Amino acid sequence: MSGSQPGLGAAHASSRSAILDLIRAAGTISRVELTRATGLTAATISTVVRRLIDDGLVLEVGRAESTGGKPRMLLQLDPSARYAIGVHLDHAGITYVIANLGGAIVARWRRPGAGSDDPATVVARIAAEIRTTITRVGVDPARILGLGVVSPGPISSSTGMTLTPPVMQRWAEFPLGAALEDAVGLSVLLDNDATAAAIGEYWSGGIATGSAFAALYMGTGIGAGIIVDGTVYRGSSSNAGEIGHICVDLDGPVCWCGNLGCVEVLAGPAAVVAAARDAGLELAGRNVAENFGALARAASRGEALPLQLLERSSRYLGVAAQTLANVLDLELVILTGPAFALAGSLYLPEIERRLGQSFFARGSHPVRVTISSNAPEAAAVGAAALVLQSELAPRQAGVRMPLELPLEVTAG
Amino acid sequence: MSGSQPGLGAAHASSRSAILDLIRAAGTISRVELTRATGLTAATISTVVRRLIDDGLVLEVGRAESTGGKPRMLLQLDPSARYAIGVHLDHAGITYVIANLGGAIVARWRRPGAGSDDPATVVARIAAEIRTTITRVGVDPARILGLGVVSPGPISSSTGMTLTPPVMQRWAEFPLGAALEDAVGLSVLLDNDATAAAIGEYWSGGIATGSAFAALYMGTGIGAGIIVDGTVYRGSSSNAGEIGHICVDLDGPVCWCGNLGCVEVLAGPAAVVAAARDAGLELAGRNVAENFGALARAASRGEALPLQLLERSSRYLGVAAQTLANVLDLELVILTGPAFALAGSLYLPEIERRLGQSFFARGSHPVRVTISSNAPEAAAVGAAALVLQSELAPRQAGVRMPLELPLEVTAG
DNA sequence: TGGCATTCTTAGGCAAGTGAACAAAGTTAG
DNA sequence: CTAACTTTGTTCACTTGCCTAAGAATGCCA
């Protein structure tokens, strides 16, 4: 980590992070409201907010209506206080995004993918790309927090490198993070597409701090990013949410993972395209994504076979979403990623229907479903949000958190 | 993963809890080891441990071998320092347990179940039962931390009452916790059977603080208690892990929950027993549990039909376990509850096989499977552990925890 | 017996958070 | 317009959790 990074003051105090996160989620919020939301005293909020303002991260923007006393002073993140760069690295294309503190996209562009080039060459290309765009867009380099890089999961937490997905064999064991850090001169964070997309939604979607939701990401593979109470759920090896390989049909076809009837092999874009070909459909696209897009458009026009194929796919994805919601007790599922960008509206009704039938939709709370507002670039936006998040809400390793309380009955 | 950073604010009094938890998990451990495990300094450990010893919770028990310097002083929880009472309330029977700080069972007994009696009557019966046994066993009442009560899930977190499972309709909306608190004079914690069983395993099984595991509980229903990094995963409405109603066959039979092909309706004890009856088997038991037990014994003897039925059931449970492990990225699954107490060894191989094929068992870590050492009373033991946990590792509400860091690359 | 390594303790200090009093800025009632 | 009240936000002295630094205790080995 180069010491030239601005950081956000000395990256200490988790209350600072918690307060920033609440301001982010609320849009605008007053100090009293922060007092109630955090459980801290007004005195603490006062001093912490003072520092945030001094650091230029937070702005005071007008007053609220009086409720019978002194009106509240409204606080807001200063969107242009810091920036983060996100890169979505995929076989087919590399998507770049510069996002500001508000999670808004300041710049966005796309270049040819990693393809079969040498990783080192690709890294050099990325570095050049980023440097020239920073100057072109005119973002103060001192305000750039870092670089987030996302690729199809899973990732290896031990080495800090992305694992080798089938289509990107050359990247196996390549020290992507370190190489980029050297080449770009920014600190680099790596993660998988689905997790990043979830964080991206958390940032740009204004999702409440306390909620439990998942971003159901369909691109090359199918995965889910899970965020609960403002915390990414990663599991024991940072591979949680890999739902592409949950079984939805014990007697289904063999998946490349070795099991039978995985969601991915039954319902993923590649499976849909293959089924269309098997049914005799002519598909002229150069890759799965293009053909899947063509099928989605055909289905939207009402063509019978494509419609039927996508309905079949959506039934399986509905099951996957429902399983996810049941296991994790979610309140929101967001459909995102390139495949849902192309065909989200075709999937939505069936997924909605199944989640409406979910176990909890009855006794307890409903499970909402939405399509991401920026599904096509969700991964890249998420990559940038990754950086914002790590700077704004750094979790300290150190002391382990204890078990949370079970339901407590306070009687008498 | 970066090491432990200094200056963590929000940890607070939780370092005491963290240390207690590490001592629990380790059995015996020295101060230096605590220093390394927590990331705190030796000085801090020293003073915190001093207070724990003064409070009578921890004992110094002998020295370790010298490694070339002063030998380590070994620390241990004082098992008889505190006690907790656990009650498993079910239609068929009420199981009581008194557990000590070590998670060991000090007393255990069983009485007729809630049946169709008036809830108030049952509460009075429970209170009397507990009072007389406390005096009979001779446990110092002042050392009893509280009462944990567990019943088949799901539970309602808003009211603090157990929801009404199909067989216990009379308990709907009954303020169980408050009533028991009044009647017994102890603070009461409520939770569902699966979650409690997981906490019970965490306590009596000596599970490491950092691990991610689930207790797969099969009793009346099928559920899972999830513990990650020492924290119960509860989801948005405390109903996480309700895997009885994930779909494993889109074209399966209708479940009472309204969906098709749920694990419970395909593979639960009631389903196995019903299938046996449909196949013409004579079953003389008075309830599902007895009949399921008879089938399990018959299968163990090698009888073809029972064996086949249980193998079928175990295939579905294998899928459920694998789904759970995939979604949550688990490293351990523990089979527990009355049904696995009866037939665990018949289920184990198939579940093990499927988890061995799991997506991560290949690239990454394996998923272990074990049968609980006290599967029959897992829920009652868990109920007691619930209390131990809440006292030893109380999570402070107040400040929300921020997002955890994604993979961080530390280069040059 | 005196180094030396390792474990644990004591002493002083910093910083986050608290409680209590107070200042600021509005509304409401006369 | 003034006085009383409400709500919001700040200042300040104090507690506490943890750190650094130094030292004490307790074993091994020459």
Side-chain angles (χ1 to χ4, degrees):
Chain A
M1 218 90 38
S2 34
S4 62
Q5 294 310 315
L8 300 168
H12 34 224
S14 72
S15 69
R16 182 185 163 104
S17 306
I19 289 169
L20 270 173
D21 194 48
L22 284 164
I23 299 176
R24 170 205 63 73
T28 72
I29 193 172
S30 70
R31 290 175 178 79
V32 237
E33 292 167 290
L34 287 174
T35 306
R36 280 161 206 153
T38 56
L40 299 171
T41 55
T44 305
I45 297 292
S46 185
T47 59
V48 173
V49 167
R50 154 64 55 95
R51 269 204 305 263
L52 289 173
I53 292 174
D54 288 349
D55 292 352
L57 290 169
V58 168
L59 297 173
E60 291 187 323
V61 288
R63 310 168 121 66
E65 289 279 288
S66 166
T67 60
K70 175 174 174 176
R72 308 170 173 189
M73 179 65 80
L74 294 177
L75 305 169
Q76 196 177 70
L77 291 189
D78 180 355
S80 57
R82 300 287 189 280
Y83 296 90
I85 303 176
V87 174
H88 180 201
L89 185 62
D90 205 349
H91 184 76
I94 304 179
T95 310
Y96 299 80
V97 154
I98 302 183
N100 66 19
L101 254 200
I105 297 174
V106 173
R108 152 181 33 193
W109 68 107
R110 191 176 161 81
R111 292 283 178 274
S116 50
D117 291 356
D118 181 51
T121 313
V122 176
V123 164
R125 212 160 69 203
I126 292 175
E129 197 72 53
I130 287 174
R131 266 196 300 269
T132 60
T133 309
I134 286 175
T135 55
R136 185 169 54 75
V137 173
V139 168
D140 177 5
R143 294 191 171 187
I144 297 177
L145 291 169
L147 174 63
V149 180
V150 154
S151 63
I155 48 172
S156 155
S157 61
S158 53
T159 61
M161 308 169 196
T162 55
L163 271 189
T164 144
V167 283
M168 292 173 71
Q169 208 54 248
R170 297 198 61 168
W171 293 79
E173 301 300 313
F174 179 75
L176 178 59
L180 270 174
E181 232 164 47
D182 286 348
V184 184
L186 288 170
S187 74
V188 173
L189 296 174
L190 301 177
D191 218 318
N192 74 56
D193 44 12
T195 302
I199 299 182
E201 290 298 328
Y202 189 66
W203 270 83
S204 58
I207 288 174
T209 308
S211 55
F213 80 95
L216 193 54
Y217 188 96
M218 185 156 70
T220 309
I222 300 175
I226 302 158
I227 294 186
V228 180
D229 204 19
T231 307
V232 173
Y233 178 91
R234 292 185 184 279
S236 68
S237 64
S238 292
N239 282 317
E242 277 293 339
I243 60 167
H245 301 278
I246 65 177
C247 173
V248 287
D249 184 356
L250 258 174
D251 308 313
V254 179
C255 177
W256 62 265
C257 81
N259 281 319
L260 304 179
C262 295
V263 174
E264 193 164 310
V265 75
L266 280 167
V272 172
V273 169
R277 283 232 170 82
D278 287 352
L281 233 60
E282 290 280 325
L283 291 168
R286 284 164 305 177
N287 53 40
V288 168
E290 285 185 17
N291 287 328
F292 184 78
L295 283 172
R297 283 188 299 275
S300 298
R301 285 193 305 266
E303 289 184 26
L305 182 58
L307 201 55
Q308 185 193 326
L309 290 172
L310 284 166
E311 272 170 0
R312 192 181 118 91
S313 170
S314 65
R315 267 200 304 281
Y316 288 118
L317 273 158
V319 171
Q322 190 186 22
T323 297
L324 203 63
N326 259 355
V327 168
L328 294 165
D329 190 10
L330 302 176
E331 44 195 24
L332 172 65
V333 173
I334 300 174
L335 309 181
T336 188
F340 283 126
L342 294 167
S345 58
L346 294 164
Y347 281 85
L348 186 61
E350 171 66 10
I351 293 178
E352 222 162 16
R353 191 186 66 79
R354 272 208 85 90
L355 286 175
Q357 287 178 358
S358 182
F359 192 49
F360 307 108
R362 299 138 66 84
S364 168
H365 58 89
V367 185
R368 289 186 299 124
V369 197
T370 64
I371 300 178
S372 167
S373 52
N374 48 14
E377 300 96 2
V381 172
L386 218 59
V387 175
L388 298 178
Q389 190 70 37
S390 82
E391 286 291 333
L392 287 173
R395 165 179 128 144
Q396 51 273 50
V399 179
R400 294 185 189 290
M401 280 291 101
L403 257 174
E404 79 180 3
L405 271 176
L407 289 180
E408 185 148 9
V409 177
T410 37
Chain B
M1 285 319 147
S2 52
S4 20
Q5 299 306 322
L8 8 146
H12 268 326
S14 75
S15 70
R16 180 186 163 105
S17 306
I19 289 169
L20 269 173
D21 194 48
L22 284 164
I23 299 176
R24 169 205 64 73
T28 72
I29 194 171
S30 70
R31 289 177 179 79
V32 234
E33 293 169 290
L34 288 174
T35 305
R36 279 161 207 152
T38 57
L40 300 171
T41 54
T44 305
I45 297 292
S46 186
T47 59
V48 174
V49 167
R50 156 61 54 94
R51 268 204 304 264
L52 290 174
I53 291 173
D54 289 348
D55 291 352
L57 290 170
V58 168
L59 297 173
E60 291 186 324
V61 288
R63 309 168 121 65
E65 290 277 289
S66 168
T67 60
K70 174 173 175 176
R72 307 170 175 189
M73 178 67 78
L74 294 177
L75 305 169
Q76 196 176 69
L77 291 190
D78 179 357
S80 57
R82 300 282 142 69
Y83 297 89
I85 303 177
V87 174
H88 180 200
L89 185 62
D90 205 348
H91 185 75
I94 303 179
T95 309
Y96 299 80
V97 154
I98 302 183
N100 66 19
L101 254 201
I105 297 174
V106 172
R108 152 181 33 191
W109 68 108
R110 191 176 161 81
R111 292 283 179 274
S116 50
D117 290 356
D118 180 52
T121 313
V122 177
V123 164
R125 211 160 71 204
I126 293 175
E129 198 70 54
I130 288 174
R131 265 197 299 269
T132 60
T133 309
I134 286 176
T135 55
R136 184 168 56 74
V137 174
V139 168
D140 177 6
R143 294 191 172 187
I144 297 177
L145 290 169
L147 173 63
V149 180
V150 154
S151 63
I155 49 172
S156 155
S157 62
S158 53
T159 60
M161 309 168 194
T162 55
L163 272 189
T164 143
V167 284
M168 293 173 70
Q169 208 55 246
R170 296 199 61 168
W171 293 78
E173 301 301 312
F174 179 75
L176 178 59
L180 270 174
E181 232 163 48
D182 285 349
V184 185
L186 289 170
S187 74
V188 173
L189 296 173
L190 300 178
D191 219 318
N192 74 56
D193 44 13
T195 301
I199 300 182
E201 290 298 327
Y202 190 67
W203 270 84
S204 58
I207 289 174
T209 307
S211 55
F213 79 96
L216 193 53
Y217 188 96
M218 185 156 68
T220 309
I222 300 175
I226 302 158
I227 294 186
V228 180
D229 203 20
T231 306
V232 173
Y233 179 90
R234 294 186 184 278
S236 69
S237 65
S238 292
N239 282 317
E242 278 294 339
I243 60 167
H245 301 278
I246 65 177
C247 173
V248 287
D249 184 356
L250 258 174
D251 307 315
V254 180
C255 176
W256 63 264
C257 80
N259 282 319
L260 304 178
C262 295
V263 174
E264 193 165 309
V265 75
L266 280 166
V272 173
V273 169
R277 283 233 169 81
D278 287 351
L281 233 61
E282 289 282 323
L283 291 168
R286 284 164 304 177
N287 53 39
V288 169
E290 285 185 16
N291 287 329
F292 184 77
L295 282 171
R297 283 188 299 276
S300 298
R301 285 192 305 267
E303 289 183 27
L305 182 59
L307 201 55
Q308 185 193 327
L309 290 172
L310 284 166
E311 273 170 358
R312 192 182 117 92
S313 170
S314 64
R315 268 200 303 282
Y316 287 119
L317 272 157
V319 170
Q322 191 186 22
T323 298
L324 202 63
N326 258 356
V327 168
L328 294 164
D329 191 8
L330 302 176
E331 43 195 25
L332 172 64
V333 173
I334 300 174
L335 310 182
T336 189
F340 283 125
L342 294 167
S345 59
L346 294 164
Y347 280 85
L348 185 62
E350 170 65 11
I351 293 178
E352 223 162 15
R353 192 186 66 78
R354 272 208 85 89
L355 286 175
Q357 289 178 357
S358 182
F359 192 50
F360 308 108
R362 299 140 66 83
S364 171
H365 58 88
V367 185
R368 289 186 298 125
V369 196
T370 64
I371 299 177
S372 168
S373 52
N374 47 14
E377 300 96 359
V381 172
L386 217 60
V387 176
L388 298 177
Q389 191 70 36
S390 83
E391 285 292 330
L392 287 175
R395 165 180 130 141
Q396 65 269 17
V399 180
R400 291 186 189 291
M401 280 291 98
L403 254 175
E404 79 179 0
L405 272 177
L407 289 179
E408 184 150 5
V409 177
T410 37

